[in-house]
């Protein structure tokens, strides 16, 4: 497993843990289940840590899993040390008088280092 060569050793180790966590079927399945079920997504928004623990997913120390509903609302690259993001987006057409409106709903998660190291 390769890591980004420009990361300091401590972040490279966390990146390797993040890649392993992101590859776990349980995590991807949890996202898919929650993205399709509004009541599960409400649970994710209330207690994300408990949602993951209930599914046997332990987030390694030094990482954070954040659940997001808007892929555009993410950190800018100027302070992104590394981020692994998964999104499940659905496009719906809603009937409106005189036509239809296209609506996209995205739900996902990102794995980031936590706490973030100082920005030099």
């Amino acid at each position: 497993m390769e890591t980004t060569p420009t990361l300091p050793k401590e972040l490279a180790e966390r990146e390797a843990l993040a890649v392993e966590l992101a590859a776990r079927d349980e995590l991807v399945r949890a996202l898919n289940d929650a993205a399709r079920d509004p009541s599960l997504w409400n649970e994710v928004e209330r207690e994300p840590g408990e949602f993951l623990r209930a599914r046997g997913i332990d987030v390694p120390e030094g990482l954070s899993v954040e659940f997001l509903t808007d892929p555009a609302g993410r950190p800018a690259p100027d302070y992104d040390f590394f981020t692994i993001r998964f999104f499940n987006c659905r496009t719906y057409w809603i009937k409106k008088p005189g036509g239809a409106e296209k609506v996209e709903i995205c739900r996902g998660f990102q794995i980031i280092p936590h706490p973030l190291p100082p920005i030099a």
Side-chain angles (χ1 to χ4, degrees):
M1 177 182 330
E2 290 186 38
T3 60
T4 308
T6 58
L7 289 175
K9 182 181 182 222
E10 177 189 344
L11 279 174
E13 291 168 358
R14 287 196 242 173
E15 181 192 36
L17 286 172
V19 169
E20 289 175 23
L21 177 62
R24 291 186 56 192
D25 290 337
E26 302 93 332
L27 186 60
V28 175
R29 193 173 318 113
L31 168 63
N32 286 328
D33 292 346
R36 288 183 171 91
D37 183 338
S39 65
L40 272 181
W41 192 258
N42 289 337
E43 180 184 336
V44 164
E45 289 180 323
R46 278 191 317 274
E47 293 290 335
E50 184 55 39
F51 174 82
L52 293 172
R53 280 189 294 280
R55 283 149 186 82
I57 301 163
D58 294 317
V59 178
E61 187 176 331
L63 296 178
S64 175
V65 175
E66 297 177 352
F67 288 84
L68 309 167
T69 56
D70 178 12
R74 58 185 178 244
D78 61 339
Y79 67 93
D80 243 353
F81 295 98
F82 70 83
T83 303
I84 298 174
R85 294 183 183 101
F86 290 91
F87 281 92
N88 186 330
C89 298
R90 303 266 185 213
T91 303
Y92 298 94
W93 290 93
I94 299 175
K95 250 183 166 174
K96 300 260 179 166
E101 177 184 350
K102 182 179 170 182
V103 176
E104 184 176 52
I105 298 173
C106 292
R107 293 179 172 157
F109 66 84
Q110 66 181 5
I111 302 171
I112 59 172
H114 178 76
L116 287 175
I119 299 168

